[in-house]
Amino acid sequence: MKYAFVLPTTALFALGLIATLVHFDVIPPGLAILEDLKSSFGEYFYVLIFCIILAESIVYVGFYFPGQFFAVVLVILSKPSITDILWLTLAMVAAATLGSFINYRLGRLSSDHKTGHSSTSLKALLLAMVHINSLAFFMFNQGSNRKTIKVVWMAGLLNLPYYLVLITGTALLSEEIMQVAESTWLMISMVLVWLVVAIILDIKQWRAAQH
């Protein structure tokens, strides 16, 4: 029997480990590395946006790189036009979709399931899309459970209006409000909720197996 609590437990461990290592200066903050990347990329703005969103969209790696927050800061500083907003949306959606595909394939490689390819609940997908890190683990889990790869492209299509609204809203909202959405404590809270739900589901599955 496969237990649902395993994946959120590893996510919580990875998040706690990264936060601890950064706190004790064992590794530099992800934002500091992204700042260095900004100066290195120079005028290749869209390439930089693509790279940082891709980095955050990869399972576990995303806990270290605050890609969406960094992208938000860049958008605020660049004061984008309507054309810029459209190009930024395409760059971020392309990166997030590629990240979803990578996570899905990683999940497939980690699984010993021989069957699957069932469809994915749209409600579950929309819930996972609340944050790019939760989407990463969702895609990994989809691959692990041998769900159809159509979920990757579905997420990409749904991300188009999501990122369009996000970038447009970013141009209007303050930096401080957006920073709250990328706080470590918020991420820990989200993972803890995921863990509690997974444990409840595991208990129900265990009780059903006893009958």
Side-chain angles (χ1 to χ4, degrees), residues 146-186:
R146 299 281 171 153
K147 297 288 187 177
T148 174
I149 197 172
K150 289 180 181 179
V151 66
V152 173
W153 318 124
M154 189 187 304
L157 289 174
L158 291 173
N159 263 329
L160 278 168
Y162 172 69
Y163 277 110
L164 183 60
V165 171
L166 175 66
I167 296 170
T168 303
T170 296
L172 302 175
L173 297 175
S174 69
E175 203 172 320
E176 290 74 17
I177 294 176
M178 298 307 294
Q179 187 172 5
V180 171
E182 288 294 334
S183 70
T184 301
W185 286 113
L186 178 61

mmCIF file of all heavy atoms in Angstrom, residues 146-186:
data_model
loop_
_atom_site.group_PDB
_atom_site.id
_atom_site.type_symbol
_atom_site.label_atom_id
_atom_site.label_comp_id
_atom_site.label_asym_id
_atom_site.label_seq_id
_atom_site.Cartn_x
_atom_site.Cartn_y
_atom_site.Cartn_z
ATOM 1 N N ARG A 146 1.324 7.277 -12.413
ATOM 2 C CA ARG A 146 1.102 6.944 -13.825
ATOM 3 C C ARG A 146 -0.174 7.561 -14.382
ATOM 4 O O ARG A 146 -0.883 6.945 -15.184
ATOM 5 C CB ARG A 146 1.053 5.428 -14.007
ATOM 6 C CG ARG A 146 2.341 4.724 -13.603
ATOM 7 C CD ARG A 146 3.387 4.847 -14.669
ATOM 8 N NE ARG A 146 4.688 4.360 -14.238
ATOM 9 C CZ ARG A 146 5.610 3.870 -15.057
ATOM 10 N NH1 ARG A 146 5.386 3.811 -16.340
ATOM 11 N NH2 ARG A 146 6.770 3.472 -14.589
ATOM 12 N N LYS A 147 -0.467 8.798 -13.963
ATOM 13 C CA LYS A 147 -1.600 9.509 -14.537
ATOM 14 C C LYS A 147 -1.245 9.942 -15.959
ATOM 15 O O LYS A 147 -0.075 10.003 -16.326
ATOM 16 C CB LYS A 147 -1.938 10.741 -13.688
ATOM 17 C CG LYS A 147 -2.381 10.429 -12.266
ATOM 18 C CD LYS A 147 -3.771 9.834 -12.250
ATOM 19 C CE LYS A 147 -4.270 9.675 -10.817
ATOM 20 N NZ LYS A 147 -5.644 9.175 -10.746
ATOM 21 N N THR A 148 -2.241 10.275 -16.750
ATOM 22 C CA THR A 148 -1.990 10.694 -18.116
ATOM 23 C C THR A 148 -1.185 11.989 -18.168
ATOM 24 O O THR A 148 -1.397 12.901 -17.355
ATOM 25 C CB THR A 148 -3.309 10.882 -18.900
ATOM 26 O OG1 THR A 148 -3.011 11.419 -20.185
ATOM 27 C CG2 THR A 148 -4.254 11.813 -18.165
ATOM 28 N N ILE A 149 -0.273 12.094 -19.127
ATOM 29 C CA ILE A 149 0.595 13.261 -19.253
ATOM 30 C C ILE A 149 -0.180 14.497 -19.722
ATOM 31 O O ILE A 149 0.345 15.618 -19.695
ATOM 32 C CB ILE A 149 1.763 12.956 -20.218
ATOM 33 C CG1 ILE A 149 2.891 13.977 -20.042
ATOM 34 C CG2 ILE A 149 1.258 12.927 -21.665
ATOM 35 C CD1 ILE A 149 4.151 13.649 -20.805
ATOM 36 N N LYS A 150 -1.431 14.295 -20.094
ATOM 37 C CA LYS A 150 -2.257 15.427 -20.506
ATOM 38 C C LYS A 150 -2.379 16.470 -19.394
ATOM 39 O O LYS A 150 -2.635 17.647 -19.657
ATOM 40 C CB LYS A 150 -3.653 14.950 -20.912
ATOM 41 C CG LYS A 150 -3.687 14.174 -22.222
ATOM 42 C CD LYS A 150 -5.105 13.736 -22.556
ATOM 43 C CE LYS A 150 -5.151 12.946 -23.852
ATOM 44 N NZ LYS A 150 -6.543 12.489 -24.168
ATOM 45 N N VAL A 151 -2.196 16.047 -18.154
ATOM 46 C CA VAL A 151 -2.311 16.971 -17.033
ATOM 47 C C VAL A 151 -1.248 18.071 -17.121
ATOM 48 O O VAL A 151 -1.474 19.203 -16.690
ATOM 49 C CB VAL A 151 -2.193 16.209 -15.691
ATOM 50 C CG1 VAL A 151 -0.798 15.618 -15.496
ATOM 51 C CG2 VAL A 151 -2.537 17.127 -14.525
ATOM 52 N N VAL A 152 -0.095 17.750 -17.695
ATOM 53 C CA VAL A 152 0.985 18.742 -17.849
ATOM 54 C C VAL A 152 0.541 19.856 -18.784
ATOM 55 O O VAL A 152 0.703 21.045 -18.492
ATOM 56 C CB VAL A 152 2.267 18.075 -18.380
ATOM 57 C CG1 VAL A 152 3.324 19.131 -18.694
ATOM 58 C CG2 VAL A 152 2.801 17.078 -17.364
ATOM 59 N N TRP A 153 -0.021 19.470 -19.926
ATOM 60 C CA TRP A 153 -0.442 20.479 -20.908
ATOM 61 C C TRP A 153 -1.680 21.221 -20.429
ATOM 62 O O TRP A 153 -1.853 22.408 -20.743
ATOM 63 C CB TRP A 153 -0.697 19.802 -22.255
ATOM 64 C CG TRP A 153 0.344 18.779 -22.598
ATOM 65 C CD1 TRP A 153 0.165 17.461 -22.907
ATOM 66 C CD2 TRP A 153 1.774 18.984 -22.634
ATOM 67 N NE1 TRP A 153 1.357 16.837 -23.122
ATOM 68 C CE2 TRP A 153 2.369 17.751 -22.964
ATOM 69 C CE3 TRP A 153 2.604 20.080 -22.406
ATOM 70 C CZ2 TRP A 153 3.742 17.572 -23.087
ATOM 71 C CZ3 TRP A 153 3.976 19.922 -22.515
ATOM 72 C CH2 TRP A 153 4.536 18.691 -22.854
ATOM 73 N N MET A 154 -2.538 20.548 -19.678
ATOM 74 C CA MET A 154 -3.707 21.211 -19.111
ATOM 75 C C MET A 154 -3.281 22.314 -18.146
ATOM 76 O O MET A 154 -3.824 23.417 -18.160
ATOM 77 C CB MET A 154 -4.589 20.189 -18.381
ATOM 78 C CG MET A 154 -5.938 20.751 -17.936
ATOM 79 S SD MET A 154 -6.871 19.567 -16.910
ATOM 80 C CE MET A 154 -6.916 18.155 -18.029
ATOM 81 N N ALA A 155 -2.272 22.004 -17.317
ATOM 82 C CA ALA A 155 -1.756 23.002 -16.373
ATOM 83 C C ALA A 155 -1.154 24.183 -17.126
ATOM 84 O O ALA A 155 -1.295 25.342 -16.717
ATOM 85 C CB ALA A 155 -0.718 22.369 -15.454
ATOM 86 N N GLY A 156 -0.471 23.902 -18.245
ATOM 87 C CA GLY A 156 0.116 24.976 -19.042
ATOM 88 C C GLY A 156 -0.938 25.927 -19.576
ATOM 89 O O GLY A 156 -0.775 27.153 -19.522
ATOM 90 N N LEU A 157 -2.051 25.371 -20.070
ATOM 91 C CA LEU A 157 -3.130 26.206 -20.594
ATOM 92 C C LEU A 157 -3.781 27.039 -19.489
ATOM 93 O O LEU A 157 -4.074 28.222 -19.668
ATOM 94 C CB LEU A 157 -4.189 25.331 -21.272
ATOM 95 C CG LEU A 157 -3.781 24.695 -22.605
ATOM 96 C CD1 LEU A 157 -4.871 23.746 -23.097
ATOM 97 C CD2 LEU A 157 -3.517 25.780 -23.651
ATOM 98 N N LEU A 158 -3.979 26.406 -18.330
ATOM 99 C CA LEU A 158 -4.591 27.119 -17.207
ATOM 100 C C LEU A 158 -3.657 28.186 -16.643
ATOM 101 O O LEU A 158 -4.109 29.184 -16.068
ATOM 102 C CB LEU A 158 -4.975 26.126 -16.107
ATOM 103 C CG LEU A 158 -6.123 25.173 -16.449
ATOM 104 C CD1 LEU A 158 -6.302 24.133 -15.348
ATOM 105 C CD2 LEU A 158 -7.413 25.945 -16.654
ATOM 106 N N ASN A 159 -2.355 27.969 -16.810
ATOM 107 C CA ASN A 159 -1.383 28.939 -16.310
ATOM 108 C C ASN A 159 -1.374 30.233 -17.133
ATOM 109 O O ASN A 159 -0.920 31.273 -16.642
ATOM 110 C CB ASN A 159 0.026 28.342 -16.307
ATOM 111 C CG ASN A 159 0.422 27.798 -14.952
ATOM 112 O OD1 ASN A 159 -0.018 28.298 -13.917
ATOM 113 N ND2 ASN A 159 1.263 26.779 -14.942
ATOM 114 N N LEU A 160 -1.837 30.168 -18.370
ATOM 115 C CA LEU A 160 -1.845 31.364 -19.213
ATOM 116 C C LEU A 160 -2.661 32.507 -18.585
ATOM 117 O O LEU A 160 -2.120 33.602 -18.359
ATOM 118 C CB LEU A 160 -2.374 31.027 -20.611
ATOM 119 C CG LEU A 160 -1.360 30.413 -21.579
ATOM 120 C CD1 LEU A 160 -2.062 29.867 -22.816
ATOM 121 C CD2 LEU A 160 -0.305 31.446 -21.967
ATOM 122 N N PRO A 161 -3.949 32.281 -18.270
ATOM 123 C CA PRO A 161 -4.688 33.376 -17.613
ATOM 124 C C PRO A 161 -4.185 33.666 -16.204
ATOM 125 O O PRO A 161 -4.220 34.815 -15.755
ATOM 126 C CB PRO A 161 -6.134 32.860 -17.597
ATOM 127 C CG PRO A 161 -6.019 31.373 -17.698
ATOM 128 C CD PRO A 161 -4.825 31.127 -18.559
ATOM 129 N N TYR A 162 -3.693 32.602 -15.512
ATOM 130 C CA TYR A 162 -3.212 32.786 -14.136
ATOM 131 C C TYR A 162 -2.015 33.747 -14.092
ATOM 132 O O TYR A 162 -2.000 34.703 -13.316
ATOM 133 C CB TYR A 162 -2.829 31.434 -13.543
ATOM 134 C CG TYR A 162 -2.131 31.520 -12.199
ATOM 135 C CD1 TYR A 162 -2.825 31.937 -11.061
ATOM 136 C CD2 TYR A 162 -0.781 31.200 -12.072
ATOM 137 C CE1 TYR A 162 -2.192 32.025 -9.826
ATOM 138 C CE2 TYR A 162 -0.143 31.292 -10.846
ATOM 139 C CZ TYR A 162 -0.852 31.698 -9.737
ATOM 140 O OH TYR A 162 -0.215 31.799 -8.525
ATOM 141 N N TYR A 163 -1.020 33.506 -14.939
ATOM 142 C CA TYR A 163 0.160 34.360 -14.943
ATOM 143 C C TYR A 163 -0.136 35.731 -15.542
ATOM 144 O O TYR A 163 0.489 36.728 -15.160
ATOM 145 C CB TYR A 163 1.308 33.687 -15.690
ATOM 146 C CG TYR A 163 2.081 32.724 -14.832
ATOM 147 C CD1 TYR A 163 2.010 31.349 -15.036
ATOM 148 C CD2 TYR A 163 2.877 33.184 -13.790
ATOM 149 C CE1 TYR A 163 2.704 30.467 -14.230
ATOM 150 C CE2 TYR A 163 3.573 32.305 -12.979
ATOM 151 C CZ TYR A 163 3.487 30.945 -13.208
ATOM 152 O OH TYR A 163 4.177 30.080 -12.397
ATOM 153 N N LEU A 164 -1.068 35.791 -16.471
ATOM 154 C CA LEU A 164 -1.451 37.086 -17.034
ATOM 155 C C LEU A 164 -2.041 37.980 -15.950
ATOM 156 O O LEU A 164 -1.691 39.160 -15.834
ATOM 157 C CB LEU A 164 -2.462 36.887 -18.165
ATOM 158 C CG LEU A 164 -2.902 38.148 -18.913
ATOM 159 C CD1 LEU A 164 -1.703 38.829 -19.567
ATOM 160 C CD2 LEU A 164 -3.951 37.799 -19.965
ATOM 161 N N VAL A 165 -2.908 37.388 -15.131
ATOM 162 C CA VAL A 165 -3.505 38.135 -14.012
ATOM 163 C C VAL A 165 -2.444 38.464 -12.965
ATOM 164 O O VAL A 165 -2.408 39.575 -12.421
ATOM 165 C CB VAL A 165 -4.659 37.324 -13.374
ATOM 166 C CG1 VAL A 165 -5.134 37.989 -12.082
ATOM 167 C CG2 VAL A 165 -5.805 37.181 -14.349
ATOM 168 N N LEU A 166 -1.559 37.496 -12.689
ATOM 169 C CA LEU A 166 -0.507 37.700 -11.689
ATOM 170 C C LEU A 166 0.412 38.851 -12.062
ATOM 171 O O LEU A 166 0.700 39.733 -11.237
ATOM 172 C CB LEU A 166 0.312 36.416 -11.529
ATOM 173 C CG LEU A 166 1.534 36.493 -10.598
ATOM 174 C CD1 LEU A 166 1.083 36.734 -9.156
ATOM 175 C CD2 LEU A 166 2.364 35.218 -10.687
ATOM 176 N N ILE A 167 0.868 38.864 -13.317
ATOM 177 C CA ILE A 167 1.794 39.905 -13.758
ATOM 178 C C ILE A 167 1.100 41.263 -13.824
ATOM 179 O O ILE A 167 1.670 42.282 -13.419
ATOM 180 C CB ILE A 167 2.394 39.540 -15.127
ATOM 181 C CG1 ILE A 167 3.244 38.275 -15.005
ATOM 182 C CG2 ILE A 167 3.253 40.680 -15.673
ATOM 183 C CD1 ILE A 167 3.679 37.689 -16.331
ATOM 184 N N THR A 168 -0.133 41.268 -14.326
ATOM 185 C CA THR A 168 -0.875 42.527 -14.391
ATOM 186 C C THR A 168 -1.126 43.070 -12.989
ATOM 187 O O THR A 168 -0.958 44.265 -12.721
ATOM 188 C CB THR A 168 -2.224 42.322 -15.113
ATOM 189 O OG1 THR A 168 -1.982 41.779 -16.417
ATOM 190 C CG2 THR A 168 -2.961 43.637 -15.255
ATOM 191 N N GLY A 169 -1.509 42.169 -12.069
ATOM 192 C CA GLY A 169 -1.731 42.589 -10.690
ATOM 193 C C GLY A 169 -0.466 43.063 -10.024
ATOM 194 O O GLY A 169 -0.481 44.005 -9.223
ATOM 195 N N THR A 170 0.641 42.409 -10.372
ATOM 196 C CA THR A 170 1.939 42.778 -9.808
ATOM 197 C C THR A 170 2.309 44.206 -10.156
ATOM 198 O O THR A 170 2.886 44.939 -9.358
ATOM 199 C CB THR A 170 3.035 41.825 -10.337
ATOM 200 O OG1 THR A 170 2.760 40.517 -9.875
ATOM 201 C CG2 THR A 170 4.404 42.237 -9.837
ATOM 202 N N ALA A 171 1.977 44.605 -11.385
ATOM 203 C CA ALA A 171 2.296 45.954 -11.835
ATOM 204 C C ALA A 171 1.490 47.002 -11.066
ATOM 205 O O ALA A 171 1.860 48.178 -11.033
ATOM 206 C CB ALA A 171 2.026 46.079 -13.330
ATOM 207 N N LEU A 172 0.408 46.556 -10.420
ATOM 208 C CA LEU A 172 -0.452 47.491 -9.693
ATOM 209 C C LEU A 172 -0.273 47.430 -8.180
ATOM 210 O O LEU A 172 -0.499 48.423 -7.491
ATOM 211 C CB LEU A 172 -1.923 47.200 -10.033
ATOM 212 C CG LEU A 172 -2.302 47.289 -11.520
ATOM 213 C CD1 LEU A 172 -3.747 46.861 -11.707
ATOM 214 C CD2 LEU A 172 -2.091 48.707 -12.049
ATOM 215 N N LEU A 173 0.133 46.236 -7.665
ATOM 216 C CA LEU A 173 0.249 46.059 -6.217
ATOM 217 C C LEU A 173 1.638 46.406 -5.719
ATOM 218 O O LEU A 173 2.601 46.431 -6.468
ATOM 219 C CB LEU A 173 -0.087 44.610 -5.841
ATOM 220 C CG LEU A 173 -1.514 44.163 -6.162
ATOM 221 C CD1 LEU A 173 -1.678 42.686 -5.858
ATOM 222 C CD2 LEU A 173 -2.528 44.980 -5.384
ATOM 223 N N SER A 174 1.741 46.607 -4.425
ATOM 224 C CA SER A 174 3.031 46.971 -3.830
ATOM 225 C C SER A 174 3.918 45.756 -3.648
ATOM 226 O O SER A 174 3.454 44.619 -3.567
ATOM 227 C CB SER A 174 2.816 47.641 -2.466
ATOM 228 O OG SER A 174 2.333 46.698 -1.541
ATOM 229 N N GLU A 175 5.197 45.982 -3.560
ATOM 230 C CA GLU A 175 6.192 44.931 -3.361
ATOM 231 C C GLU A 175 5.974 44.195 -2.048
ATOM 232 O O GLU A 175 6.150 42.990 -1.942
ATOM 233 C CB GLU A 175 7.576 45.596 -3.362
ATOM 234 C CG GLU A 175 8.715 44.683 -3.710
ATOM 235 C CD GLU A 175 10.016 45.437 -3.878
ATOM 236 O OE1 GLU A 175 10.008 46.532 -4.447
ATOM 237 O OE2 GLU A 175 11.038 44.920 -3.405
ATOM 238 N N GLU A 176 5.580 44.946 -1.004
ATOM 239 C CA GLU A 176 5.418 44.348 0.319
ATOM 240 C C GLU A 176 4.307 43.302 0.334
ATOM 241 O O GLU A 176 4.440 42.248 0.961
ATOM 242 C CB GLU A 176 5.111 45.437 1.358
ATOM 243 C CG GLU A 176 6.264 46.360 1.670
ATOM 244 C CD GLU A 176 6.559 47.363 0.563
ATOM 245 O OE1 GLU A 176 5.669 47.569 -0.311
ATOM 246 O OE2 GLU A 176 7.658 47.924 0.553
ATOM 247 N N ILE A 177 3.209 43.578 -0.371
ATOM 248 C CA ILE A 177 2.092 42.640 -0.406
ATOM 249 C C ILE A 177 2.503 41.357 -1.092
ATOM 250 O O ILE A 177 2.198 40.251 -0.633
ATOM 251 C CB ILE A 177 0.884 43.272 -1.131
ATOM 252 C CG1 ILE A 177 0.339 44.448 -0.317
ATOM 253 C CG2 ILE A 177 -0.213 42.234 -1.359
ATOM 254 C CD1 ILE A 177 -0.783 45.194 -0.996
ATOM 255 N N MET A 178 3.258 41.472 -2.195
ATOM 256 C CA MET A 178 3.680 40.287 -2.926
ATOM 257 C C MET A 178 4.702 39.476 -2.138
ATOM 258 O O MET A 178 4.776 38.258 -2.257
ATOM 259 C CB MET A 178 4.274 40.694 -4.279
ATOM 260 C CG MET A 178 3.291 41.408 -5.196
ATOM 261 S SD MET A 178 1.748 40.505 -5.456
ATOM 262 C CE MET A 178 2.349 39.086 -6.353
ATOM 263 N N GLN A 179 5.505 40.139 -1.308
ATOM 264 C CA GLN A 179 6.521 39.436 -0.533
ATOM 265 C C GLN A 179 5.888 38.489 0.473
ATOM 266 O O GLN A 179 6.432 37.417 0.761
ATOM 267 C CB GLN A 179 7.422 40.439 0.176
ATOM 268 C CG GLN A 179 8.610 39.782 0.866
ATOM 269 C CD GLN A 179 9.593 40.784 1.406
ATOM 270 O OE1 GLN A 179 9.366 41.994 1.367
ATOM 271 N NE2 GLN A 179 10.705 40.296 1.916
ATOM 272 N N VAL A 180 4.732 38.881 1.001
ATOM 273 C CA VAL A 180 4.039 38.034 1.973
ATOM 274 C C VAL A 180 3.710 36.674 1.362
ATOM 275 O O VAL A 180 3.791 35.634 2.016
ATOM 276 C CB VAL A 180 2.750 38.736 2.462
ATOM 277 C CG1 VAL A 180 1.907 37.787 3.313
ATOM 278 C CG2 VAL A 180 3.109 39.981 3.259
ATOM 279 N N ALA A 181 3.371 36.680 0.070
ATOM 280 C CA ALA A 181 2.989 35.442 -0.616
ATOM 281 C C ALA A 181 4.155 34.485 -0.794
ATOM 282 O O ALA A 181 3.960 33.322 -1.118
ATOM 283 C CB ALA A 181 2.386 35.777 -1.975
ATOM 284 N N GLU A 182 5.397 34.955 -0.585
ATOM 285 C CA GLU A 182 6.564 34.096 -0.770
ATOM 286 C C GLU A 182 7.318 33.858 0.542
ATOM 287 O O GLU A 182 8.484 33.501 0.531
ATOM 288 C CB GLU A 182 7.523 34.734 -1.788
ATOM 289 C CG GLU A 182 7.018 34.701 -3.219
ATOM 290 C CD GLU A 182 6.927 33.289 -3.773
ATOM 291 O OE1 GLU A 182 7.673 32.410 -3.294
ATOM 292 O OE2 GLU A 182 6.108 33.046 -4.666
ATOM 293 N N SER A 183 6.646 34.058 1.672
ATOM 294 C CA SER A 183 7.309 33.874 2.952
ATOM 295 C C SER A 183 7.521 32.389 3.245
ATOM 296 O O SER A 183 6.727 31.529 2.845
ATOM 297 C CB SER A 183 6.477 34.506 4.077
ATOM 298 O OG SER A 183 5.301 33.774 4.288
ATOM 299 N N THR A 184 8.611 32.092 3.955
ATOM 300 C CA THR A 184 8.913 30.706 4.305
ATOM 301 C C THR A 184 7.823 30.125 5.198
ATOM 302 O O THR A 184 7.454 28.948 5.052
ATOM 303 C CB THR A 184 10.268 30.635 5.040
ATOM 304 O OG1 THR A 184 11.289 31.169 4.182
ATOM 305 C CG2 THR A 184 10.617 29.200 5.392
ATOM 306 N N TRP A 185 7.306 30.935 6.110
ATOM 307 C CA TRP A 185 6.281 30.440 7.024
ATOM 308 C C TRP A 185 5.003 30.069 6.291
ATOM 309 O O TRP A 185 4.303 29.121 6.672
ATOM 310 C CB TRP A 185 5.988 31.492 8.101
ATOM 311 C CG TRP A 185 7.080 31.579 9.117
ATOM 312 C CD1 TRP A 185 7.934 32.623 9.327
ATOM 313 C CD2 TRP A 185 7.464 30.558 10.049
ATOM 314 N NE1 TRP A 185 8.824 32.322 10.332
ATOM 315 C CE2 TRP A 185 8.572 31.065 10.794
ATOM 316 C CE3 TRP A 185 6.996 29.275 10.319
ATOM 317 C CZ2 TRP A 185 9.197 30.324 11.788
ATOM 318 C CZ3 TRP A 185 7.625 28.532 11.311
ATOM 319 C CH2 TRP A 185 8.699 29.058 12.034
ATOM 320 N N LEU A 186 4.683 30.821 5.233
ATOM 321 C CA LEU A 186 3.510 30.477 4.443
ATOM 322 C C LEU A 186 3.702 29.129 3.766
ATOM 323 O O LEU A 186 2.801 28.293 3.743
ATOM 324 C CB LEU A 186 3.243 31.561 3.389
ATOM 325 C CG LEU A 186 2.051 31.302 2.455
ATOM 326 C CD1 LEU A 186 0.760 31.207 3.247
ATOM 327 C CD2 LEU A 186 1.955 32.387 1.393
#
